[in-house]
Amino acid sequence: MIYSYINGLVNYAVEKGLIDECDSIYARNRVLALLKLDDYKEEDVLKVELCELLKGLCDYAVEKGLINDSITERDIFDTEIMAIFTDRPSTLIKKYNELYKKDPVLATDWYYNFSCNTNYIRKDRIAKDVKWKTETEYGTLDITINLSKPEKDPKAIAAMRNAKVSQYPLCQLCKENEGYLGRLNHPARGNHRIIPLSMEGEDFYLQYSPYVYYNEHCIVFNKIHKPMIIDKPTLRKLLSFVDYLPHYFVGSNADLPIVGGSILAHEHFQGGHNHFAMEDAKPIYEFTVKGYPNSKLAIVKWPLSVIRVYSNNKDEAANLGEHILNTWMNYSDEEVSIYAYTDGIRHNTITPIVRKKNGLYEMDLVLRNNLTTEEYPLGLFHPHPEYHNIKKENIGLIEVMGLAILPARLKKEIQLVEEILLGNKDITEETEKHRAWIDSLKKKYTFTKENVDSIVKEEIGKTFGKILENAGVYKMTDEGIDHFIKFTKAL
């Protein structure tokens, strides 16, 4: 039976254009080598999904003692199998560049499909993500319970106690990940391929996120392992990227803890071919800034505090963005608890997002502040404690734009909460965190088996909207907007 799985995988690779028919025997022999097989028998081609083929091969490897039966070791093994069918970087780069000369869309479409077909993007895991939409006063928010990242494997955690400590690659974004075998505490990247590009005279690489939270979710990272920073050169890089791929947006997480991303040690941006609710936010106050004649600005209606810049001049857009950033970095408004510094520590920064529309640069500068207080030790402009049952983690770039990435624990907890609301279960230690929320829902709705799931999901979506409001330094109230306008007068 094992040969049917091998034949199925080779046939899959030919059908997807990963290898030519004349490569079939070579590829089959490389798989046999990984499985420590020195024999081969003709068996029927097994025609099932790629994930099933790889599972069958991993099951065999476990049975024969080639690997331990853990998620981590299975991932390393099946990635090495797929590396057999993944072109060398030089071949991939040549193909991408040939397509790019014809049309950037052709190039990214091909590269994205290649990343899926080689199983670098594990579509079977992404398909498990729970997704829905919620209508709010700010537009349609996208809600996702993230299940695509494999959970920590207890066996791998135990094995890591005795694992050799390695600093190679330095982080999961470094270029050295390309083709890397992986280890218990570092993901396998044998089928990982990156595309070189230049932005503002610096070498960068383009790749797709293996977890693709949205359509064609890409990452652009610096060749050099250096920290994230938001400044004028960063803004110029973002503007240059949308010149390079005008059908993509690009943005950067902020460069401070709490309001920043999960990897601040390596300069990188995120982009893709996706339309977020934030993009549709309407202007509620329009203005100009003296000295920038080619640019118009607006405050838009969004739970976070956004200044949108429209400009037909890249240099001016970068200069204006720097001016707004520098002004904001040193701006305080104690009446609404905005402090630029406390004890010499800076709190203000921005999350910038750039798009290109009809030849115009459209740049959203989201004002961020990471102040902590006695009442809000995790951050004043961070999810507040009453919403931690839904989300306690930082609000990064993707969520700023209106896509919630909620913790995997919620999938099970939602089911338990629904049973409690229907009167079929009592609150336990696992659901205690939801007690106040459950009580509020009981007062608001009459639940039935038919409506409970839609109501709970709708309320989670609305809670995400409230969490985004928590992250806004200026609230979308008359008072908040007045103070926001006051800031624009300082520009």
Side-chain angles (χ1 to χ4, degrees):
M1 184 63 181
I2 185 60
Y3 302 109
S4 291
Y5 282 99
I6 295 171
N7 292 339
L9 183 60
V10 172
N11 183 70
Y12 164 90
V14 172
E15 287 186 346
K16 293 296 184 182
L18 298 177
I19 62 172
D20 291 332
E21 182 68 44
C22 60
D23 298 322
S24 296
I25 294 175
Y26 166 82
R28 183 179 73 203
N29 284 336
R30 300 320 304 152
V31 176
L32 290 172
L34 272 180
L35 293 170
K36 306 297 183 185
L37 288 165
D38 53 13
D39 194 9
Y40 173 73
K41 297 176 183 178
E42 288 289 347
E43 289 182 359
D44 291 340
V45 171
L46 188 60
K47 294 194 174 183
V48 295
E49 295 293 327
L50 175 61
C51 59
E52 291 299 317
L53 293 171
L54 293 174
K55 180 180 181 300
L57 296 174
C58 285
D59 286 346
Y60 176 87
V62 169
E63 178 188 336
K64 297 300 180 181
L66 302 178
I67 60 172
N68 293 314
D69 190 13
S70 73
I71 296 171
T72 305
E73 291 197 41
R74 281 173 171 266
D75 280 1
I76 291 173
F77 192 76
D78 72 20
T79 299
E80 276 302 284
I81 291 174
M82 290 310 300
I84 293 168
F85 304 95
T86 305
D87 273 336
R88 288 178 179 247
S90 57
T91 305
L92 179 84
I93 292 166
K94 182 179 179 182
K95 175 71 171 177
Y96 175 92
N97 287 336
E98 288 173 351
L99 290 170
Y100 181 86
K101 288 176 183 177
K102 297 177 182 178
D103 186 345
V105 177
L106 289 176
T108 55
D109 282 352
W110 174 80
Y111 179 38
Y112 180 75
N113 287 329
F114 174 87
S115 300
C116 293
N117 292 338
T118 55
N119 208 43
Y120 172 70
I121 296 173
R122 294 177 180 260
K123 294 176 70 176
D124 60 308
R125 289 182 181 170
I126 294 161
K128 295 176 183 177
D129 287 351
V130 181
K131 299 179 180 182
W132 70 92
K133 296 179 181 291
T134 299
E135 296 297 328
T136 72
E137 64 176 296
Y138 304 107
T140 305
L141 301 181
D142 292 293
I143 314 299
T144 300
I145 297 177
N146 173 35
L147 302 170
S148 53
K149 278 188 178 181
E151 294 188 25
K152 296 291 185 182
D153 191 317
K155 294 179 182 178
I157 292 171
M160 274 192 285
R161 293 173 187 164
N162 301 317
K164 180 181 176 182
V165 176
S166 173
Q167 296 299 317
Y168 179 85
L170 278 176
C171 78
Q172 293 185 25
L173 288 176
C174 286
K175 64 184 185 299
E176 288 81 11
N177 282 279
E178 187 174 40
Y180 185 64
L181 173 65
R183 54 183 189 268
L184 294 176
N185 60 353
H186 195 100
R189 291 291 181 256
N191 54 355
H192 176 44
R193 299 294 182 268
I194 56 181
I195 302 294
L197 65 144
S198 178
M199 296 193 298
E200 298 300 309
E202 291 189 51
D203 291 330
F204 278 78
Y205 293 96
L206 172 69
Q207 69 169 75
Y208 288 104
S209 167
Y211 311 112
V212 288
Y213 293 138
Y214 52 82
N215 188 46
E216 295 179 41
H217 176 185
C218 71
I219 298 170
V220 193
F221 64 95
N222 201 308
K223 180 180 181 179
I224 300 171
H225 181 85
K226 66 177 186 178
M228 297 274 289
I229 186 171
I230 303 296
D231 56 10
K232 180 180 172 181
T234 298
L235 298 176
R236 286 195 62 90
K237 291 167 192 172
L238 298 178
L239 292 160
S240 294
F241 181 82
V242 295
D243 282 339
Y244 173 68
L245 295 178
H247 59 299
Y248 275 18
F249 82 91
V250 69
S252 174
N253 268 302
D255 54 350
L256 294 179
I258 297 176
V259 297
S262 56
I263 302 178
L264 295 180
H266 195 135
E267 182 183 33
H268 70 286
F269 314 123
Q270 297 183 77
H273 199 185
N274 201 71
H275 189 96
F276 294 91
M278 181 188 192
E279 191 173 338
D280 296 325
K282 303 301 181 188
I284 58 174
Y285 175 76
E286 298 179 323
F287 62 103
T288 58
V289 176
K290 187 177 179 180
Y292 302 92
N294 299 296
S295 304
K296 296 180 180 179
L297 302 91
I299 294 172
V300 300
K301 184 177 180 181
W302 191 245
L304 287 99
S305 307
V306 181
I307 293 177
R308 181 165 294 165
V309 176
Y310 308 87
S311 183
N312 61 9
N313 185 294
K314 183 198 294 186
D315 292 334
E316 182 172 301
N319 291 337
L320 178 53
E322 180 189 36
H323 174 61
I324 294 169
L325 170 63
N326 288 341
T327 304
W328 173 244
M329 283 171 59
N330 296 289
Y331 187 85
S332 295
D333 188 343
E334 296 181 11
E335 290 183 29
V336 285
S337 301
I338 294 172
Y339 296 88
Y341 293 88
T342 57
D343 299 324
I345 298 173
R346 176 168 69 93
H347 298 299
N348 287 348
T349 187
I350 61 172
T351 299
I353 299 133
V354 178
R355 298 172 285 270
K356 199 168 187 180
K357 292 185 177 181
N358 303 317
L360 278 180
Y361 298 100
E362 188 175 283
M363 183 166 60
D364 284 346
L365 304 178
V366 187
L367 308 183
R368 310 299 300 274
N369 178 289
N370 75 346
L371 179 71
T372 59
T373 67
E374 189 172 320
E375 184 180 2
Y376 298 105
L378 297 181
L380 175 59
F381 303 106
H382 177 85
H384 285 185
E386 63 265 32
Y387 305 127
H388 285 180
N389 63 310
I390 302 299
K391 182 174 176 65
K392 189 177 182 179
E393 298 79 11
N394 297 350
I395 300 301
L397 169 68
I398 297 170
E399 292 175 310
V400 162
M401 296 183 289
L403 169 59
I405 301 172
L406 302 180
R409 62 174 173 81
L410 276 179
K411 182 180 180 181
K412 180 182 178 183
E413 290 175 13
I414 284 174
Q415 295 171 346
L416 295 174
V417 165
E418 290 177 1
E419 289 298 312
I420 294 168
L421 292 170
L422 291 171
N424 299 331
K425 288 186 182 296
D426 294 326
I427 292 176
T428 63
E429 183 178 351
E430 186 173 9
T431 50
E432 178 62 35
K433 67 174 76 71
H434 297 292
R435 180 181 291 275
W437 184 48
I438 290 168
D439 290 342
S440 69
L441 292 178
K442 284 181 176 179
K443 292 175 183 177
K444 193 173 179 181
Y445 299 101
T446 299
F447 290 99
T448 66
K449 189 175 181 180
E450 291 71 31
N451 71 11
V452 64
D453 187 62
S454 60
I455 290 174
V456 167
K457 286 180 177 175
E458 179 77 7
E459 288 295 323
I460 288 174
K462 290 179 179 177
T463 297
F464 177 61
K466 296 293 183 185
I467 287 171
L468 293 184
E469 288 179 342
N470 289 165
V473 293
Y474 295 109
K475 310 309 178 187
M476 282 288 109
T477 61
D478 289 343
E479 179 189 17
I481 293 169
D482 285 345
H483 281 271
F484 200 167
I485 292 172
K486 177 183 171 185
F487 169 68
T488 68
K489 301 297 184 184
L491 296 174

